[in-house]
């Protein structure tokens, strides 16, 4: 008796979920890609364990572009930093758009740190060298 009840309940749940579609049959468009960084401004010095904020301009390929995250491709230094832009929506114009976002860097020890921000020319990154003191 209990097995029949579970089987009937499971069948009802599956039928209910299948009958209630959350999709409205409209296309869904999404992609994500590295986007070139065109400008970086910020401090050249700082102190240990104190966050430093850099203003970063990113070139998105369309009006639907939005910064997803900054990707740090190396664990040591110099640190290579790329901007990952997500494009969500099917009705985007292909007009290049500038996004202004902040990148935060915090050093755990004193020393000199080099950050390399990826540009359209991968052989010529924007380089920021920061001196950190106690």
């Amino acid at each position: 008796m209990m097995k029949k009840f579970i089987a009937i309940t499971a069948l009802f749940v599956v039928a209910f979920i299948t009958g209630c579609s959350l999709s409205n049959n409209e296309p869904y468009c999404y992609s994500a890609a590295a986007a070139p960084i065109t400008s970086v401004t910020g401090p050249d010095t700082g102190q240990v364990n104190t966050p430093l904020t850099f203003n970063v301009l990113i070139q998105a390929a369309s009006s639907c572009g939005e910064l997803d995250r900054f990707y740090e491709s190396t664990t040591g230094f110099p640190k290579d930093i790329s901007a990952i832009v997500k494009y969500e929506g099917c009705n985007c114009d292909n007009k290049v758009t500038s996004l202004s976002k902040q990148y935060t860097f915090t050093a755990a020890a004193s020393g000199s740190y080099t950050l390399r921000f990826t540009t359209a020319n991968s052989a010529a990154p924007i380089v920021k060298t920061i001196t950190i003191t106690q």
Side-chain angles (χ1 to χ4, degrees), residues 23 39 69 88 116:
S23 172
S39 172
R69 68 188 182 282
E88 197 166 5
R116 298 186 302 205

Side-chain angles (χ1 to χ4, degrees), residues 58-95:
I58 303 157
Q59 188 177 38
S62 78
S63 62
C64 290
E66 180 179 312
L67 180 67
D68 184 43
R69 68 188 182 282
F70 286 107
Y71 174 75
E72 298 174 351
S73 62
T74 55
T75 55
F77 288 91
K79 187 172 293 293
D80 295 320
I81 302 157
S82 299
I84 306 299
V85 173
K86 64 181 177 182
Y87 300 92
E88 197 166 5
C90 300
N91 298 317
C92 307
D93 62 28
N94 289 329
K95 182 180 177 187

Side-chain angles (χ1 to χ4, degrees), residues 19-65:
C20 296
S21 173
L22 296 177
S23 172
N24 57 6
N25 293 327
E26 290 185 19
Y28 177 72
C29 303
Y30 176 86
S31 66
I37 294 171
T38 58
S39 172
V40 178
T41 57
D44 294 326
T45 61
Q47 294 188 338
V48 173
N49 294 323
T50 302
L52 300 175
T53 301
F54 295 88
N55 295 313
V56 180
L57 281 179
I58 303 157
Q59 188 177 38
S62 78
S63 62
C64 290

